[in-house]
Amino acid sequence: MTGPRPAARAFLCAVLLPLALGACVTASSEVSSAAKPRVSPSDAARYGAVEEKGFRIPAADPEDIKPRNVRQLVNDPSGQSPGTLVVDPKNRFLYLVQENGKALRYGVGVGRAGMEFSGTAAVGYKKEWPSWRPTDAMIARDPKKYQPWAGGMAGGESNPLGARALYLFKDGKDTLYRIHGTNEPWSIGEAVSSGCIRMMNQDVIDLYRRVPDGAKVVVLPV
């Protein structure tokens, strides 16, 4: 068989080309739809901008928030007593145990492999807009990154501890591990930190209000 005559080919192109372009537009529209925020407007609003004490916490981009990481009340999986903080590094959650078998669950970022803390500790003390100094081990491991801050960094919007920090102590000694905020909200749900437990700034502010000094903290093994 021979192919379509030139006139027929021209006709087919005239008919099929707009259809092909239409398919591209549809695909583009589908991609645009898939890129819409993955959390509800009400959940996204809870991670809006916060201004306090001369500092500003920007609103989290809804694209950076996974629904599983949104602060929410769930059934308590730990069996711990109310008021206990339970960190589950494997699943990247922190639970504040409540009454009646419930827990307030937060999404967290955790330490990279080999840099985690596990066991039972207590909140030694808490700080708003904490200062930060890398540990000697961090400086030795990556001097180019951490040596400039060997003298410490004042609290503020660019500080890696974020808006709040809870300092974990064990047997009366500082473990050097913290539960703290972060100015990198996209890192929540990942294993990226130098062992500490990081939270959305809006979440760590919420947790800070609820947890007293001396609260029990249980960090599960990975």
Side-chain angles (χ1 to χ4, degrees):
M1 291 180 62
T2 59
R5 295 178 180 178
R9 286 199 297 269
F11 174 77
L12 289 172
C13 287
V15 172
L16 295 178
L17 182 58
L19 291 177
L21 292 174
C24 290
V25 171
T26 300
S28 176
S29 175
E30 290 173 354
V31 169
S32 176
S33 176
K36 290 181 179 179
R38 292 170 291 179
V39 295
S40 69
S42 60
D43 283 337
R46 293 194 298 178
Y47 295 93
V50 177
E51 293 191 21
E52 61 163 34
K53 300 186 177 181
F55 299 117
R56 185 177 189 277
I57 299 167
D61 186 338
E63 288 294 319
D64 291 333
I65 308 172
K66 295 179 181 178
R68 74 188 300 270
N69 291 331
V70 170
R71 182 169 74 243
Q72 55 194 283
L73 191 66
V74 299
N75 292 326
D76 171 42
S78 73
Q80 293 288 333
S81 57
T84 303
L85 290 173
V86 180
V87 180
D88 179 356
K90 182 177 180 180
N91 293 301
R92 319 284 165 77
F93 289 131
L94 180 150
Y95 298 90
L96 175 56
V97 182
Q98 309 283 293
E99 301 283 353
N100 302 315
K102 296 293 184 179
L104 196 56
R105 190 183 79 185
Y106 305 82
V108 299
V110 299
R112 295 188 295 272
M115 304 178 71
E116 314 93 342
F117 168 82
S118 64
T120 301
V123 176
Y125 60 94
K126 309 181 297 179
K127 282 189 177 180
E128 299 183 3
W129 294 102
S131 59
W132 170 76
R133 180 193 180 278
T135 65
D136 292 340
M138 292 167 68
I139 295 171
R141 185 170 64 250
D142 193 343
K144 183 177 180 181
K145 181 177 181 180
Y146 294 117
Q147 184 63 45
W149 305 110
M153 178 190 293
E157 297 165 14
S158 60
N159 190 294
L161 294 187
R164 303 287 189 273
L166 285 66
Y167 295 75
L168 305 189
F169 278 61
K170 185 176 179 66
D171 300 326
K173 297 180 180 180
D174 189 353
T175 65
L176 301 181
Y177 291 93
R178 322 291 186 221
I179 297 171
H180 64 83
T182 181
N183 49 26
E184 299 177 337
W186 55 88
S187 68
I188 300 303
E190 306 297 331
V192 293
S193 75
S194 295
C196 292
I197 300 149
R198 59 173 62 184
M199 306 176 69
M200 300 277 283
N201 273 320
Q202 292 85 346
D203 279 345
V204 79
I205 289 173
D206 180 83
L207 183 70
Y208 185 97
R209 295 177 183 138
R210 299 173 186 271
V211 177
D213 289 348
K216 180 181 177 181
V217 183
V218 177
V219 182
L220 305 176
V222 177

